[in-house]
Amino acid sequence: MFPSRFMPCPECGGSVERAEQESHACDPERRLDFRMFLLREEILSFERQFHEFADTRDGRFETWVASRTVRGRP
Ligand SMILES: [Zn+2]
């Protein structure tokens, strides 16, 4: 593989020319989008784990307690 002229910026995910790596400044909006993109996977796997847990006996109990707690609010 040929080394690319461009490198993905680890902060914002943008492609940055190697020569400009030193002077590159991340676009804050782009950096935020990139963070959200990386977090998405974590959020999805958390949700999967949560649903798996909610399906277990303990999970059903927790869900029941939580729903009672919510309904019991004045
Ligand atoms: Zn950047």
Side-chain angles (χ1 to χ4, degrees):
M1 224 172 94
F2 293 102
S4 167
R5 258 179 76 200
F6 294 94
M7 292 262 303
C9 172
E11 287 293 311
C12 70
S15 56
V16 180
E17 221 169 320
R18 278 173 197 276
E20 285 173 10
Q21 234 181 314
E22 293 287 306
S23 60
H24 166 75
C26 300
D27 176 23
E29 228 170 273
R30 185 170 193 154
R31 192 165 56 194
L32 190 68
D33 278 355
F34 186 62
R35 283 281 152 86
M36 290 308 290
F37 169 75
L38 292 179
L39 274 176
R40 213 172 61 103
E41 271 305 301
E42 266 179 58
I43 292 165
L44 282 177
S45 84
F46 170 77
E47 277 185 7
R48 260 195 301 272
Q49 280 170 29
F50 175 77
H51 285 295
E52 272 166 30
F53 170 71
D55 247 10
T56 63
R57 189 187 198 131
D58 283 353
R60 275 198 289 271
F61 178 71
E62 292 283 340
T63 308
W64 179 77
V65 170
S67 68
R68 271 179 67 95
T69 309
V70 170
R71 275 196 225 112
R73 262 187 215 159

Coordinates of all heavy atoms in Angstrom, one line a residue:
M1 N 0.8 -1.2 0.0 CA 0.0 0.0 0.0 C 0.9 1.3 0.0 O 1.8 1.3 0.7 CB -0.9 0.0 1.2 CG -2.3 0.4 0.9 SD -3.4 0.2 2.3 CE -3.3 1.8 3.1
F2 N 0.5 2.2 -0.8 CA 1.2 3.5 -0.8 C 0.8 4.3 0.4 O -0.4 4.4 0.7 CB 0.9 4.3 -2.1 CG 1.5 3.6 -3.3 CD1 0.6 2.9 -4.2 CD2 2.8 3.6 -3.7 CE1 1.1 2.2 -5.3 CE2 3.3 3.0 -4.8 CZ 2.5 2.3 -5.6
P3 N 1.8 5.0 1.0 CA 1.4 5.9 2.1 C 0.5 7.0 1.5 O 0.9 7.6 0.5 CB 2.7 6.4 2.7 CG 3.7 6.1 1.6 CD 3.2 5.0 0.7
S4 N -0.6 7.3 2.2 CA -1.5 8.3 1.7 C -0.9 9.7 2.0 O -0.2 9.9 3.0 CB -2.8 8.1 2.3 OG -3.6 9.3 2.0
R5 N -1.2 10.7 1.1 CA -0.8 12.1 1.4 C -1.7 12.6 2.6 O -1.3 13.5 3.2 CB -1.1 12.9 0.2 CG 0.1 13.2 -0.6 CD -0.3 14.1 -1.8 NE -0.6 15.4 -1.5 CZ -1.4 16.3 -2.2 NH1 -1.9 15.8 -3.3 NH2 -1.6 17.5 -1.8
F6 N -2.8 12.0 2.8 CA -3.7 12.5 3.8 C -3.8 11.5 5.0 O -3.6 10.3 4.8 CB -5.1 12.6 3.2 CG -5.2 13.7 2.1 CD1 -5.0 13.4 0.8 CD2 -5.4 15.0 2.5 CE1 -5.1 14.4 -0.2 CE2 -5.4 16.0 1.5 CZ -5.3 15.7 0.2
M7 N -4.0 12.1 6.1 CA -4.1 11.3 7.3 C -5.5 11.7 8.0 O -5.8 12.9 8.0 CB -3.1 11.8 8.4 CG -1.7 11.4 8.0 SD -1.2 9.9 8.9 CE -1.5 10.4 10.6
P8 N -6.2 10.7 8.5 CA -7.4 11.1 9.2 C -7.0 11.7 10.5 O -6.2 11.2 11.2 CB -8.1 9.7 9.4 CG -7.1 8.7 9.3 CD -5.9 9.3 8.5
C9 N -7.6 12.9 10.8 CA -7.4 13.5 12.1 C -8.1 12.8 13.2 O -9.3 12.5 13.1 CB -7.9 15.0 12.0 SG -7.8 15.8 13.6
P10 N -7.3 12.4 14.2 CA -8.0 11.6 15.3 C -9.0 12.4 16.1 O -9.8 11.8 16.8 CB -6.8 11.2 16.2 CG -5.7 12.2 15.9 CD -5.9 12.7 14.5
E11 N -8.9 13.7 16.0 CA -9.8 14.5 16.8 C -11.2 14.8 16.1 O -12.2 14.8 16.7 CB -9.2 15.9 17.1 CG -8.1 15.8 18.1 CD -8.6 15.5 19.5 OE1 -9.6 16.1 19.9 OE2 -8.1 14.6 20.1
C12 N -11.1 15.1 14.8 CA -12.3 15.4 14.0 C -12.6 14.5 12.9 O -13.7 14.6 12.3 CB -12.2 16.9 13.5 SG -11.0 17.1 12.2
G13 N -11.8 13.5 12.6 CA -12.0 12.6 11.6 C -11.8 13.1 10.2 O -12.0 12.4 9.2
G14 N -11.5 14.4 10.1 CA -11.2 15.0 8.8 C -9.9 14.5 8.1 O -9.0 14.1 8.9
S15 N -9.8 14.5 6.8 CA -8.6 14.1 6.2 C -7.7 15.3 6.1 O -8.1 16.4 5.6 CB -8.8 13.4 4.9 OG -9.5 14.2 4.0
V16 N -6.5 15.2 6.6 CA -5.6 16.3 6.7 C -4.3 15.9 6.0 O -3.8 14.8 6.1 CB -5.2 16.5 8.2 CG1 -4.2 17.7 8.3 CG2 -6.4 16.8 9.0
E17 N -3.8 16.8 5.1 CA -2.6 16.6 4.4 C -1.5 16.5 5.4 O -1.4 17.3 6.3 CB -2.4 17.7 3.4 CG -1.9 17.2 2.1 CD -1.9 18.3 1.0 OE1 -2.9 19.0 1.0 OE2 -0.9 18.3 0.2
R18 N -0.6 15.5 5.2 CA 0.5 15.3 6.1 C 1.3 16.5 6.4 O 1.7 16.8 7.5 CB 1.4 14.2 5.6 CG 1.0 12.8 5.9 CD 1.8 11.8 5.2 NE 1.2 10.5 5.2 CZ 1.2 9.6 6.2 NH1 1.9 9.8 7.2 NH2 0.5 8.5 6.1
A19 N 1.5 17.3 5.3 CA 2.3 18.5 5.4 C 1.6 19.6 6.3 O 2.3 20.4 6.9 CB 2.6 19.1 4.0
E20 N 0.3 19.4 6.4 CA -0.5 20.5 7.1 C -0.9 20.0 8.5 O -1.6 20.7 9.2 CB -1.7 20.8 6.3 CG -1.4 21.7 5.1 CD -2.6 22.0 4.2 OE1 -3.7 21.6 4.7 OE2 -2.4 22.5 3.2
Q21 N -0.4 18.8 8.9 CA -0.8 18.2 10.1 C -0.5 19.2 11.3 O -1.4 19.3 12.2 CB 0.0 16.9 10.4 CG -1.0 15.8 10.6 CD -0.2 14.5 10.8 OE1 0.8 14.2 10.1 NE2 -0.5 13.8 11.9
E22 N 0.6 19.8 11.2 CA 1.0 20.7 12.4 C 0.1 21.9 12.5 O -0.2 22.3 13.6 CB 2.5 21.2 12.1 CG 3.5 20.1 12.2 CD 3.8 19.7 13.7 OE1 4.0 20.5 14.5 OE2 3.6 18.4 14.0
S23 N -0.3 22.4 11.3 CA -1.1 23.7 11.3 C -2.6 23.4 11.3 O -3.4 24.3 11.4 CB -0.7 24.5 10.1 OG -1.0 23.8 8.9
H24 N -3.0 22.1 11.3 CA -4.4 21.8 11.2 C -5.1 22.2 12.5 O -4.7 21.9 13.6 CB -4.6 20.3 10.9 CG -6.0 19.8 11.2 ND1 -7.0 20.1 10.3 CD2 -6.5 19.1 12.2 CE1 -8.1 19.5 10.8 NE2 -7.8 18.9 11.9
A25 N -6.2 22.9 12.3 CA -7.1 23.2 13.4 C -8.4 22.6 13.1 O -9.0 22.8 12.1 CB -7.2 24.7 13.6
C26 N -8.9 21.8 14.1 CA -10.2 21.2 13.9 C -11.3 22.2 13.9 O -11.4 23.1 14.6 CB -10.5 20.2 15.0 SG -9.2 18.9 15.2
D27 N -12.3 21.9 13.0 CA -13.5 22.6 13.0 C -14.4 22.1 14.1 O -14.6 20.9 14.2 CB -14.2 22.4 11.6 CG -15.6 23.0 11.6 OD1 -15.8 24.0 12.3 OD2 -16.4 22.6 10.8
P28 N -14.7 23.0 15.1 CA -15.4 22.5 16.3 C -16.7 21.6 16.0 O -17.0 20.7 16.7 CB -15.8 23.7 17.1 CG -15.1 24.9 16.4 CD -14.6 24.4 15.1
E29 N -17.4 22.1 15.0 CA -18.7 21.4 14.6 C -18.4 20.0 14.1 O -19.0 19.0 14.4 CB -19.4 22.2 13.6 CG -20.9 22.3 13.9 CD -21.6 23.3 13.0 OE1 -21.5 24.5 13.2 OE2 -22.1 22.8 11.9
R30 N -17.3 19.9 13.3 CA -16.9 18.6 12.7 C -16.4 17.7 13.8 O -16.7 16.5 13.8 CB -15.8 18.9 11.7 CG -15.5 17.7 11.0 CD -14.6 17.9 9.8 NE -14.5 16.7 9.0 CZ -14.3 16.6 7.8 NH1 -14.1 17.7 7.1 NH2 -14.3 15.5 7.1
R31 N -15.7 18.3 14.8 CA -15.1 17.5 15.9 C -16.3 16.9 16.7 O -16.3 15.7 17.1 CB -14.2 18.3 16.7 CG -13.4 17.5 17.7 CD -12.3 18.3 18.3 NE -12.8 19.6 18.9 CZ -12.0 20.6 19.3 NH1 -10.7 20.5 19.1 NH2 -12.5 21.6 19.8
L32 N -17.3 17.7 16.9 CA -18.5 17.2 17.7 C -19.2 16.1 16.9 O -19.6 15.1 17.5 CB -19.4 18.4 17.9 CG -20.6 18.2 18.9 CD1 -20.0 18.0 20.3 CD2 -21.6 19.3 18.8
D33 N -19.4 16.3 15.6 CA -20.0 15.3 14.8 C -19.3 14.0 14.9 O -19.8 12.9 15.0 CB -20.1 15.7 13.3 CG -21.3 16.6 13.1 OD1 -22.1 16.8 14.0 OD2 -21.4 17.1 11.9
F34 N -17.9 14.1 14.8 CA -17.1 12.9 14.9 C -17.2 12.2 16.2 O -17.3 11.0 16.3 CB -15.6 13.3 14.6 CG -14.7 12.2 14.4 CD1 -14.9 11.2 13.4 CD2 -13.6 12.0 15.3 CE1 -14.0 10.2 13.3 CE2 -12.7 11.0 15.2 CZ -12.9 10.1 14.2
R35 N -17.2 13.0 17.3 CA -17.4 12.4 18.6 C -18.7 11.7 18.8 O -18.8 10.6 19.3 CB -17.3 13.5 19.7 CG -16.0 14.0 20.0 CD -15.2 13.1 21.0 NE -13.8 13.2 20.8 CZ -13.0 14.1 21.4 NH1 -13.5 14.9 22.2 NH2 -11.7 14.1 21.1
M36 N -19.8 12.3 18.3 CA -21.1 11.7 18.3 C -21.1 10.4 17.5 O -21.7 9.4 17.9 CB -22.2 12.6 17.7 CG -22.4 13.8 18.6 SD -22.8 13.4 20.3 CE -24.4 12.6 20.2
F37 N -20.4 10.4 16.4 CA -20.3 9.2 15.6 C -19.6 8.1 16.3 O -20.0 6.9 16.3 CB -19.6 9.5 14.3 CG -19.2 8.3 13.5 CD1 -20.1 7.6 12.7 CD2 -17.9 7.9 13.4 CE1 -19.8 6.5 12.0 CE2 -17.5 6.8 12.7 CZ -18.5 6.1 12.0
L38 N -18.5 8.4 17.0 CA -17.8 7.4 17.8 C -18.6 6.9 19.0 O -18.7 5.7 19.3 CB -16.5 7.9 18.3 CG -15.4 8.2 17.3 CD1 -14.2 8.8 18.0 CD2 -15.0 7.0 16.5
L39 N -19.4 7.8 19.6 CA -20.2 7.5 20.8 C -21.4 6.6 20.4 O -21.8 5.8 21.2 CB -20.7 8.8 21.5 CG -19.8 9.4 22.5 CD1 -20.4 10.7 23.0 CD2 -19.5 8.5 23.6
R40 N -21.9 6.8 19.2 CA -23.1 6.1 18.7 C -22.9 4.6 19.0 O -23.8 4.0 19.5 CB -23.3 6.4 17.3 CG -24.7 6.4 16.8 CD -24.8 6.9 15.4 NE -24.0 6.0 14.6 CZ -24.6 5.1 13.8 NH1 -25.9 5.0 13.7 NH2 -23.9 4.2 13.0
E41 N -21.7 4.1 18.6 CA -21.5 2.6 18.8 C -21.6 2.2 20.3 O -22.2 1.2 20.6 CB -20.1 2.3 18.3 CG -20.1 1.9 16.8 CD -21.1 0.8 16.5 OE1 -21.0 -0.3 17.1 OE2 -22.0 1.0 15.7
E42 N -21.1 3.1 21.1 CA -21.1 2.8 22.6 C -22.5 2.9 23.1 O -22.9 2.0 23.9 CB -20.3 3.8 23.3 CG -18.9 3.4 23.6 CD -18.0 4.4 24.3 OE1 -18.4 4.8 25.4 OE2 -17.0 4.8 23.8
I43 N -23.3 3.9 22.6 CA -24.7 4.0 23.1 C -25.5 2.8 22.6 O -26.2 2.2 23.4 CB -25.3 5.3 22.5 CG1 -24.6 6.5 23.2 CG2 -26.8 5.3 22.7 CD1 -24.8 7.8 22.5
L44 N -25.2 2.4 21.3 CA -26.0 1.2 20.8 C -25.7 0.0 21.6 O -26.6 -0.8 21.9 CB -25.6 1.0 19.3 CG -26.3 2.0 18.4 CD1 -25.8 1.7 16.9 CD2 -27.8 1.8 18.4
S45 N -24.4 -0.2 21.9 CA -24.1 -1.5 22.7 C -24.6 -1.4 24.1 O -25.0 -2.4 24.7 CB -22.6 -1.8 22.6 OG -21.9 -1.1 23.6
F46 N -24.7 -0.2 24.7 CA -25.3 -0.1 26.0 C -26.8 -0.4 25.9 O -27.3 -1.1 26.8 CB -25.1 1.4 26.5 CG -25.9 1.6 27.8 CD1 -25.5 1.1 29.0 CD2 -27.1 2.3 27.7 CE1 -26.3 1.3 30.1 CE2 -27.9 2.5 28.8 CZ -27.5 2.0 30.1
E47 N -27.5 0.1 24.9 CA -28.9 -0.2 24.7 C -29.1 -1.7 24.5 O -30.1 -2.2 25.1 CB -29.5 0.6 23.5 CG -29.8 2.0 23.9 CD -30.5 2.7 22.8 OE1 -30.8 2.1 21.8 OE2 -30.7 3.9 23.0
R48 N -28.3 -2.3 23.8 CA -28.4 -3.8 23.6 C -28.3 -4.5 24.9 O -29.1 -5.4 25.2 CB -27.4 -4.3 22.6 CG -27.9 -4.5 21.2 CD -26.9 -5.3 20.3 NE -25.6 -4.7 20.2 CZ -25.3 -3.8 19.3 NH1 -26.1 -3.4 18.4 NH2 -24.1 -3.3 19.3
Q49 N -27.2 -4.1 25.6 CA -27.0 -4.8 26.9 C -28.2 -4.5 27.9 O -28.6 -5.4 28.6 CB -25.7 -4.2 27.6 CG -24.5 -4.9 27.0 CD -23.2 -4.2 27.5 OE1 -23.2 -3.6 28.6 NE2 -22.2 -4.2 26.7
F50 N -28.7 -3.3 27.8 CA -29.9 -3.0 28.7 C -31.1 -3.9 28.3 O -31.7 -4.4 29.2 CB -30.2 -1.5 28.5 CG -31.5 -1.1 29.3 CD1 -31.4 -1.0 30.7 CD2 -32.7 -1.0 28.7 CE1 -32.5 -0.7 31.4 CE2 -33.8 -0.7 29.4 CZ -33.7 -0.5 30.8
H51 N -31.3 -4.0 27.0 CA -32.5 -4.8 26.6 C -32.3 -6.3 27.0 O -33.2 -7.0 27.4 CB -32.8 -4.7 25.1 CG -33.4 -3.3 24.8 ND1 -34.7 -3.0 25.3 CD2 -33.0 -2.3 24.2 CE1 -35.0 -1.8 24.9 NE2 -34.0 -1.3 24.2
E52 N -31.0 -6.8 26.9 CA -30.7 -8.1 27.3 C -31.0 -8.3 28.7 O -31.6 -9.3 29.2 CB -29.3 -8.5 26.9 CG -29.1 -9.0 25.5 CD -27.7 -9.1 25.1 OE1 -26.8 -9.2 25.9 OE2 -27.5 -8.9 23.9
F53 N -30.6 -7.3 29.5 CA -30.8 -7.4 31.0 C -32.3 -7.3 31.3 O -32.8 -8.1 32.1 CB -30.0 -6.2 31.6 CG -30.3 -6.1 33.1 CD1 -29.9 -7.0 34.0 CD2 -31.1 -5.0 33.6 CE1 -30.2 -6.9 35.4 CE2 -31.4 -4.9 34.9 CZ -30.9 -5.8 35.8
A54 N -33.0 -6.4 30.6 CA -34.4 -6.2 30.9 C -35.2 -7.5 30.7 O -36.3 -7.7 31.2 CB -34.9 -5.1 30.0
D55 N -34.6 -8.4 29.9 CA -35.3 -9.7 29.5 C -35.0 -10.8 30.6 O -35.7 -11.8 30.6 CB -34.8 -10.2 28.2 CG -35.9 -10.1 27.1 OD1 -37.0 -9.6 27.4 OD2 -35.7 -10.7 26.1
T56 N -34.1 -10.5 31.4 CA -33.8 -11.5 32.5 C -34.8 -11.4 33.6 O -35.5 -10.4 33.7 CB -32.4 -11.4 33.0 OG1 -32.2 -10.1 33.6 CG2 -31.3 -11.5 31.9
R57 N -34.8 -12.3 34.5 CA -35.7 -12.3 35.7 C -35.4 -11.0 36.5 O -36.3 -10.3 36.9 CB -35.4 -13.6 36.5 CG -36.5 -13.7 37.6 CD -36.1 -14.9 38.5 NE -37.3 -15.3 39.2 CZ -37.7 -16.5 39.3 NH1 -37.0 -17.5 38.7 NH2 -38.8 -16.8 39.9
D58 N -34.1 -10.8 36.8 CA -33.8 -9.6 37.6 C -34.2 -8.3 36.9 O -34.6 -7.4 37.5 CB -32.2 -9.6 37.8 CG -31.8 -10.5 38.9 OD1 -32.7 -11.1 39.6 OD2 -30.6 -10.7 39.1
G59 N -34.0 -8.4 35.6 CA -34.3 -7.2 34.8 C -35.7 -6.9 34.8 O -36.1 -5.7 34.9
R60 N -36.6 -7.9 34.7 CA -38.0 -7.7 34.7 C -38.5 -7.1 36.1 O -39.3 -6.3 36.2 CB -38.8 -9.0 34.4 CG -38.9 -9.2 33.0 CD -40.0 -10.3 32.7 NE -39.6 -11.6 33.1 CZ -39.0 -12.4 32.3 NH1 -38.7 -12.1 31.0 NH2 -38.6 -13.6 32.7
F61 N -37.8 -7.6 37.1 CA -38.1 -7.1 38.5 C -37.7 -5.6 38.6 O -38.5 -4.8 39.0 CB -37.4 -7.9 39.5 CG -37.6 -7.4 40.9 CD1 -38.9 -7.6 41.5 CD2 -36.6 -6.7 41.6 CE1 -39.1 -7.1 42.8 CE2 -36.8 -6.3 42.9 CZ -38.1 -6.4 43.5
E62 N -36.5 -5.3 38.1 CA -36.1 -3.9 38.1 C -37.0 -3.0 37.3 O -37.3 -1.9 37.7 CB -34.6 -3.8 37.5 CG -33.6 -4.4 38.3 CD -33.1 -3.6 39.5 OE1 -33.4 -2.4 39.5 OE2 -32.6 -4.2 40.5
T63 N -37.5 -3.5 36.2 CA -38.4 -2.7 35.3 C -39.7 -2.5 36.1 O -40.3 -1.4 36.1 CB -38.6 -3.5 34.0 OG1 -37.4 -3.8 33.4 CG2 -39.4 -2.6 33.0
W64 N -40.2 -3.5 36.8 CA -41.4 -3.4 37.5 C -41.3 -2.4 38.6 O -42.1 -1.5 38.8 CB -41.7 -4.8 38.1 CG -43.0 -4.9 38.9 CD1 -44.3 -4.9 38.4 CD2 -43.1 -4.9 40.3 NE1 -45.1 -4.9 39.5 CE2 -44.4 -4.9 40.7 CE3 -42.1 -5.0 41.4 CZ2 -44.9 -5.0 42.0 CZ3 -42.5 -5.0 42.7 CH2 -43.9 -5.0 43.0
V65 N -40.1 -2.5 39.4 CA -39.9 -1.5 40.5 C -39.8 -0.1 39.9 O -40.4 0.8 40.4 CB -38.6 -1.9 41.2 CG1 -38.2 -0.8 42.2 CG2 -38.7 -3.2 42.0
A66 N -39.1 0.0 38.8 CA -38.9 1.3 38.2 C -40.3 1.9 37.8 O -40.6 3.1 38.0 CB -38.0 1.3 37.0
S67 N -41.1 1.1 37.2 CA -42.4 1.6 36.7 C -43.3 1.9 37.9 O -44.1 2.9 37.8 CB -43.1 0.6 35.8 OG -43.5 -0.6 36.5
R68 N -43.2 1.2 38.9 CA -44.0 1.5 40.1 C -43.5 2.9 40.7 O -44.3 3.7 41.2 CB -43.9 0.4 41.2 CG -44.9 -0.7 41.1 CD -44.6 -1.7 42.1 NE -44.9 -1.2 43.5 CZ -46.1 -1.3 44.1 NH1 -47.0 -1.9 43.6 NH2 -46.2 -0.8 45.3
T69 N -42.2 3.0 40.7 CA -41.6 4.2 41.3 C -42.1 5.4 40.5 O -42.4 6.5 41.0 CB -40.1 4.1 41.3 OG1 -39.7 2.9 41.9 CG2 -39.4 5.3 42.0
V70 N -42.1 5.3 39.2 CA -42.5 6.4 38.3 C -44.0 6.7 38.5 O -44.4 7.9 38.7 CB -42.3 6.1 36.8 CG1 -42.9 7.1 35.9 CG2 -40.8 6.0 36.6
R71 N -44.8 5.7 38.6 CA -46.3 5.9 38.8 C -46.6 6.5 40.2 O -47.5 7.2 40.3 CB -47.0 4.6 38.6 CG -47.3 4.3 37.1 CD -48.4 3.2 37.0 NE -47.9 2.3 36.0 CZ -47.6 1.0 36.2 NH1 -47.6 0.5 37.4 NH2 -47.2 0.2 35.2
G72 N -45.7 6.1 41.1 CA -46.0 6.5 42.5 C -45.7 8.0 42.8 O -45.9 8.5 43.9
R73 N -45.1 8.6 41.8 CA -44.7 10.0 42.0 C -46.0 10.9 42.1 O -46.9 10.7 41.4 CB -43.9 10.5 40.8 CG -42.4 10.5 41.0 CD -41.7 11.2 39.9 NE -40.4 10.5 39.7 CZ -39.8 10.5 38.5 NH1 -40.2 11.2 37.5 NH2 -38.6 9.9 38.4
P74 N -46.0 11.9 43.0 CA -47.1 12.7 43.2 C -47.3 13.7 42.0 O -46.4 13.9 41.3 CB -46.8 13.6 44.5 CG -45.4 13.5 44.7 CD -44.9 12.2 44.0
Ligands
ZN1 ZN -9.0 17.8 13.1

